[in-house]
Amino acid sequence: MEYEYPLYSKKRIQKAGKALRKNENNNDDLEVFNNWRSSHAMPLDIISGELSSAVNDIDNENLIVKRLKRAPSIINKLKLQPTMSLASMQDIGGCRTIVSNIDNVYKISDKIKHKLLSHSLVCTTDYIQNPKSSGYRSMHHVYKFNGEGISDKHSGLLIEIQIRTINQHYWATAVETMGTYLKQSLKSSQGDREYLDLFSKVGDLIAFYENSSLYHKGSILRLLKETRVKIQLLKIFDKLIAFREVTSIIESEFKDEESPDYYLVITDSDKKTIRVQSVTKENLRSANVTYTKLEQRFQNSASKDVVLVSAKNLDELREAYPNYFNDINNFFDLFNTVSDYIFNNVTEDEKIAYESEQKKLSKHFLKKRLRTVRSRHRFAHRSLRMLMREYKKTKDINKKKKLNKIIQKNRKSLIELTKSLALIKEYSSKYL
């Protein structure tokens, strides 16, 4: 197949990145962006192939997938890190291997350093020993591709390799699924602080279970108590189950003799649909064009999203990217397993103390949550009244249209806060 290669100078790519960061891009900037991103496909294919041969000897249950980074994620990263250049972004092309345990993460990490000697290792970041504040854990390697004898035009492009355990993967996909439900970028540590704190704590619990945490039994038991109360209070599992159950999947048809290398996944959280289209390597170039066009079409929509990812078949796609299918059963099972593991490794006295403190924590969090939601509810109510008064006073039609959109949005927010308030009052009647 014919791969795309970089057509523009680093200076022009940097200029396009600056325009995208400021939302001042034109069609030429988008063409530069699309070419630059698509050019990472060949180095990504080669490095992921070399990674596969290194991993299989160590962990025969591993799963390897690859993807070109989504445009919204690239633009969001440029905005979050003002000094970053599009031309030097390290994870536009990324491959991930998911393995069975922590030991294998480090074994594979050591092996690929010797296996990928033809490419240059740029940096290694251990987010397992030094997790992000969000609770994210994984091992990252960034390589500079060497295309000598293959394609000099692709030399120097950066490819990121992620190595994570299956449990770390379940956590990460649950965060993404919850972020989709809330329409917040939780995986980038953006959004409601309560949800961010909760998933960070769950990450710590999983790390303890995998023996990669510095927590001791006493503090981890308290952390479990706090987490279970918050999960119940925020109705995390109920929300994720509801989101999953109303989602339908529409699979595109393809001929039996075809073996898809990529899938174009289009999600619509409002219509609760997921459309999956298979893509062979021969059609990758045109699929990249479609990918970019759909991203442009969805750029102002909070409900629609598209991603181009690799997988050997649809089952592997679902296993590697359960967040795109709102499939969080494995996360539920993992959390229950972790809870049982922690609870079964404490004394009877600690269990009795746990039950007693659980009630105290419930009261504490309920009171705190009740104050917060009441305050937000009052503010939302006042804001809505002010907007309604302004709407009635103004005679400008365009202004009325803008105000009407804001009013509808505020009404939805007020309805959700009212529901939350009723739920907390229901719990309060039991515990307070």
Side-chain angles (χ1 to χ4, degrees):
M1 66 167 290
E2 185 182 351
Y3 288 99
E4 280 202 59
Y5 57 85
L7 296 173
Y8 303 93
S9 67
K10 292 289 180 70
K11 189 175 180 180
R12 180 64 184 93
I13 296 165
Q14 289 171 353
K15 184 181 176 183
K18 288 178 181 178
L20 288 164
R21 178 186 285 125
K22 296 177 181 178
N23 296 324
E24 296 174 352
N25 54 283
N26 54 34
N27 289 335
D28 288 342
D29 294 319
L30 289 174
E31 176 59 36
V32 172
F33 168 82
N34 186 40
N35 169 257
W36 178 240
R37 180 175 62 175
S38 300
S39 295
H40 288 74
M42 179 185 165
L44 183 57
D45 279 351
I46 291 174
I47 286 182
S48 63
E50 293 177 10
L51 172 66
S52 179
S53 63
V55 172
N56 290 336
D57 294 338
I58 296 172
D59 194 315
N60 56 15
E61 295 180 4
N62 79 88
L63 181 65
I64 295 179
V65 289
K66 56 184 181 285
R67 64 93 184 100
L68 294 175
K69 196 174 184 74
R70 296 160 52 248
S73 298
I74 292 173
I75 295 167
N76 190 45
K77 193 168 187 176
L78 289 169
K79 289 178 178 178
L80 288 174
Q81 302 180 42
T83 58
M84 177 172 286
S85 164
L86 177 62
S88 60
M89 191 175 287
Q90 297 177 340
D91 62 343
I92 292 176
C95 48
R96 175 186 300 147
T97 179
I98 302 162
V99 298
S100 54
N101 56 60
I102 291 286
D103 287 344
N104 283 354
V105 169
Y106 286 100
K107 287 177 183 177
I108 291 166
S109 181
D110 288 338
K111 186 167 183 178
I112 63 173
K113 288 178 183 176
H114 299 96
K115 185 74 176 178
L116 273 64
L117 289 175
S118 59
H119 311 290
S120 303
L121 178 62
V122 176
C123 64
T124 295
T125 308
D126 187 344
Y127 289 117
I128 297 174
Q129 292 299 318
N130 301 289
K132 293 183 179 181
S133 59
S134 64
Y136 175 85
R137 289 168 169 83
S138 180
M139 177 71 78
H140 288 201
H141 297 285
V142 176
Y143 277 89
K144 184 180 288 186
F145 178 71
N146 176 16
E148 186 178 352
I150 306 170
S151 173
D152 291 335
K153 294 175 181 177
H154 291 89
S155 287
L157 294 184
L158 300 175
I159 299 296
E160 182 181 74
I161 297 173
Q162 295 179 6
I163 313 167
R164 62 169 64 155
T165 68
I166 190 67
N167 293 329
Q168 290 165 351
H169 184 61
Y170 292 153
W171 175 91
T173 53
V175 171
E176 288 206 40
T177 304
M178 195 70 216
T180 302
Y181 175 88
L182 297 171
K183 297 182 180 178
Q184 300 174 13
S185 186
L186 297 182
K187 70 171 187 175
S188 300
S189 299
Q190 295 174 296
D192 192 315
R193 178 48 55 186
E194 286 190 286
Y195 289 95
L196 292 170
D197 288 345
L198 172 62
F199 277 106
S200 179
K201 286 181 169 63
V202 174
D204 290 341
L205 293 172
I206 293 170
F208 179 82
Y209 174 69
E210 292 194 310
N211 296 317
S212 64
S213 172
L214 298 177
Y215 282 98
H216 54 77
K217 282 185 181 179
S219 61
I220 205 68
L221 186 60
R222 179 174 179 81
L223 187 65
L224 176 61
K225 298 170 193 172
E226 294 175 0
T227 304
R228 291 182 73 146
V229 169
K230 280 199 170 186
I231 282 176
Q232 185 182 38
L233 192 55
L234 295 174
K235 301 197 83 172
I236 296 293
F237 288 173
D238 291 346
K239 288 174 181 174
L240 290 174
I241 289 170
F243 193 43
R244 176 194 64 195
E245 289 180 346
V246 297
T247 301
S248 60
I249 300 169
I250 305 165
E251 299 173 18
S252 65
E253 295 183 0
F254 55 92
K255 296 176 182 178
D256 291 339
E257 62 267 21
E258 288 182 339
S259 178
D261 298 283
Y262 287 84
Y263 290 90
L264 197 65
V265 184
I266 304 164
T267 61
D268 188 328
S269 58
D270 283 346
K271 292 183 178 179
K272 304 297 185 292
T273 59
I274 301 164
R275 186 176 295 275
V276 183
Q277 298 177 5
S278 59
V279 178
T280 60
K281 276 188 178 180
E282 288 70 26
N283 298 322
L284 181 57
R285 196 163 190 169
S286 61
N288 270 314
V289 173
T290 304
Y291 183 22
T292 304
K293 285 180 178 178
L294 288 172
E295 285 177 325
Q296 291 172 43
R297 190 190 303 173
F298 300 160
Q299 63 182 344
N300 295 317
S301 172
S303 63
K304 294 179 180 178
D305 199 6
V306 59
V307 65
L308 183 66
V309 293
S310 80
K312 293 175 183 175
N313 50 56
L314 194 61
D315 289 338
E316 186 177 282
L317 177 70
R318 294 193 66 146
E319 187 177 354
Y321 299 100
N323 48 299
Y324 297 138
F325 297 87
N326 304 325
D327 185 355
I328 28 64
N329 284 337
N330 289 324
F331 175 71
F332 293 161
D333 293 341
L334 173 61
F335 183 79
N336 290 330
T337 299
V338 170
S339 298
D340 291 344
Y341 172 82
I342 294 170
F343 202 61
N344 291 333
N345 279 277
V346 296
T347 64
E348 286 301 317
D349 288 341
E350 286 174 320
K351 288 179 183 179
I352 294 169
Y354 170 88
E355 297 296 340
S356 174
E357 194 168 349
Q358 186 84 351
K359 292 180 180 178
K360 292 179 183 178
L361 282 168
S362 295
K363 289 182 179 181
H364 169 74
F365 284 118
L366 277 169
K367 286 179 179 178
K368 186 177 178 182
R369 179 69 175 163
L370 189 58
R371 286 195 300 269
T372 301
V373 175
R374 273 178 175 165
S375 176
R376 289 181 181 177
H377 189 272
R378 284 194 295 267
F379 178 78
H381 200 268
R382 286 196 300 268
S383 298
L384 187 58
R385 282 187 300 180
M386 289 172 63
L387 286 164
M388 290 295 292
R389 283 198 295 267
E390 189 177 351
Y391 179 83
K392 288 177 181 179
K393 286 179 182 179
T394 186
K395 294 180 180 180
D396 187 311
I397 295 175
N398 290 328
K399 190 175 181 181
K400 271 184 175 289
K401 286 181 180 178
K402 289 180 180 178
L403 282 169
N404 186 52
K405 286 183 179 180
I406 299 170
I407 287 168
Q408 295 307 318
K409 187 176 180 181
N410 278 35
R411 275 181 177 157
K412 286 181 181 179
S413 177
L414 189 60
I415 289 169
E416 289 300 316
L417 286 167
T418 303
K419 288 179 181 177
S420 296
L421 204 54
L423 176 66
I424 295 166
K425 286 178 179 178
E426 181 187 334
Y427 278 112
S428 297
S429 65
K430 296 179 183 178
Y431 294 111
L432 299 183

